[in-house]
Amino acid sequence: MQTVGIYAKINHPDAPTLVRNICTRLQKNDINFLLEPWLGKALNSESVAAKDVIPRRSDLIIVLGGDGTLISVARQVTPLQIPILGVNLGSLGFLTEITQHELPAMLEMVLTGQYEITDRMMLDVEILRQGKVVEALTLLNDAVINKGTLARIIDMQTRVDGNYLTTFKADGLIVSTPTGSTGYNLAAGGPIIYPGINSLVITPICPHMLTNRPLIVSSDSVVAIDVSFTDDVVYFTGDGQIGASLEPGDRVQVRQSTARTYLIKSPNRNYFEILRAKLSWGER
């Protein structure tokens, strides 16, 4: 390991101190580091690079923040198959499993190669307009079609592998990975999918028909959604962070990506412990 790239939730008060400690530990092991510009400024360090450049020059990525911070970094890191160590600066996260207290010991384990990696499936999403791709994205969590505040119900004609499924009449539609199943999908009434089970979850948002229910399909499936609406306030959102306006007749096409996100696992807890902690299972 020659270089470690470090990202942090911008302007988080704990981040500079934690990053300084990480950098000191790396320097003792003759390992270089690269920081986001705002971190470099906070630490008065010249070892900085642009957010999209850091992964190309790193062998390991450390992310300090919450799940949202890690997801945004994952889209930069994924094409290079670099492992990510997620450190949570708030409450325990689904993806940022390591606590601040655990960080020193975990960093030592990582630097000596004593760690396990789990890989997460991702989505390739295309927005087609009159048959031409106008937007192409790779996402970790979910692809969402959602109406604006004053828009009417959207008609979303949905096909799986070319086979007509149904036309959802709803406020929107979510196509989620197992990783994203604990996000917007869960809030919309969708199921929790264990990350090791590669699949796609199709979940309508506030469907007009009460008989519409979430559907789990194979990760090898291609989900195509043709949108029809009379208002001009319907949006596509990826991972809850990036998006685009849709036009009537647009098609949103979702499939499993060949890219994967590689996360360093916590040795102190498993996925089910995280579920219990985050969702308060077992509490009265």
Side-chain angles (χ1 to χ4, degrees):
M1 188 180 297
Q2 296 181 341
T3 304
V4 174
I6 304 174
Y7 297 84
K9 185 175 182 179
I10 191 164
N11 296 328
H12 193 287
D14 295 339
T17 299
L18 289 170
V19 173
R20 183 178 290 108
N21 293 339
I22 293 171
C23 294
T24 299
R25 186 70 184 86
L26 294 175
Q27 288 174 323
K28 288 181 179 179
N29 284 267
D30 295 322
I31 297 174
N32 299 319
F33 58 84
L34 284 173
L35 309 176
E36 293 181 272
W38 83 268
L39 274 175
K41 184 177 181 180
L43 299 181
N44 195 27
S45 172
E46 296 181 357
S47 298
V48 300
K51 183 175 182 176
D52 60 342
V53 173
I54 290 175
R56 299 200 297 269
R57 296 169 57 186
S58 302
D59 306 298
L60 168 73
I61 297 295
I62 299 177
V63 179
L64 298 95
D67 286 354
T69 306
L70 189 146
I71 289 168
S72 68
V73 171
R75 291 194 299 272
Q76 304 284 341
V77 173
T78 291
L80 302 170
Q81 300 184 359
I82 302 170
I84 301 173
L85 175 64
V87 182
N88 200 286
L89 297 187
S91 59
L92 185 67
F94 284 108
L95 298 174
T96 48
E97 299 181 359
I98 310 301
T99 66
Q100 294 183 45
H101 175 72
E102 295 167 342
L103 177 56
M106 189 68 206
L107 182 59
E108 182 66 27
M109 293 176 66
V110 170
L111 295 181
T112 56
Q114 302 176 62
Y115 61 91
E116 292 183 48
I117 291 177
T118 179
D119 64 295
R120 302 292 183 91
M121 71 169 282
M122 302 187 76
L123 303 175
D124 280 339
V125 182
E126 294 178 332
I127 300 175
L128 296 96
R129 184 165 300 149
Q130 297 179 349
K132 297 182 179 179
V133 177
V134 295
E135 195 82 42
L137 303 164
T138 300
L139 307 170
L140 176 59
N141 255 20
D142 51 34
V144 179
I145 297 169
N146 220 336
K147 72 180 184 67
T149 305
L150 301 177
R152 297 171 184 166
I153 283 175
I154 317 166
D155 286 353
M156 293 163 288
Q157 188 180 89
T158 304
R159 290 178 171 82
V160 178
D161 295 330
N163 300 305
Y164 177 63
L165 172 62
T166 189
T167 298
F168 291 102
K169 296 179 181 292
D171 285 357
L173 193 66
I174 305 166
V175 181
S176 169
T177 64
T179 297
S181 69
T182 50
Y184 197 176
N185 167 77
L186 183 61
I192 297 172
I193 308 296
Y194 185 73
I197 301 175
N198 289 338
S199 58
L200 300 175
V201 188
I202 304 169
T203 303
I205 303 168
C206 299
H208 183 66
M209 297 293 293
L210 296 178
T211 52
N212 283 151
R213 289 291 183 265
L215 175 67
I216 301 170
V217 299
S218 167
S219 59
D220 294 327
S221 298
V222 177
V223 179
I225 306 149
D226 295 320
V227 296
S228 177
F229 54 94
T230 55
D231 303 88
D232 59 352
V233 284
V234 173
Y235 303 100
F236 169 83
T237 307
D239 285 345
Q241 297 177 342
I242 51 179
S245 297
L246 296 178
E247 296 182 4
D250 281 359
R251 169 172 287 190
V252 177
Q253 192 159 274
V254 185
R255 70 181 74 214
Q256 179 179 201
S257 176
T258 56
R260 312 284 287 189
T261 291
Y262 296 89
L263 304 175
I264 295 177
K265 295 174 61 175
S266 168
N268 301 315
R269 63 188 58 84
N270 58 50
Y271 181 74
F272 302 110
E273 291 178 79
I274 295 171
L275 279 182
R276 290 197 301 271
K278 291 289 286 185
L279 303 180
S280 301
W281 285 353
E283 297 182 12
R284 293 182 178 274

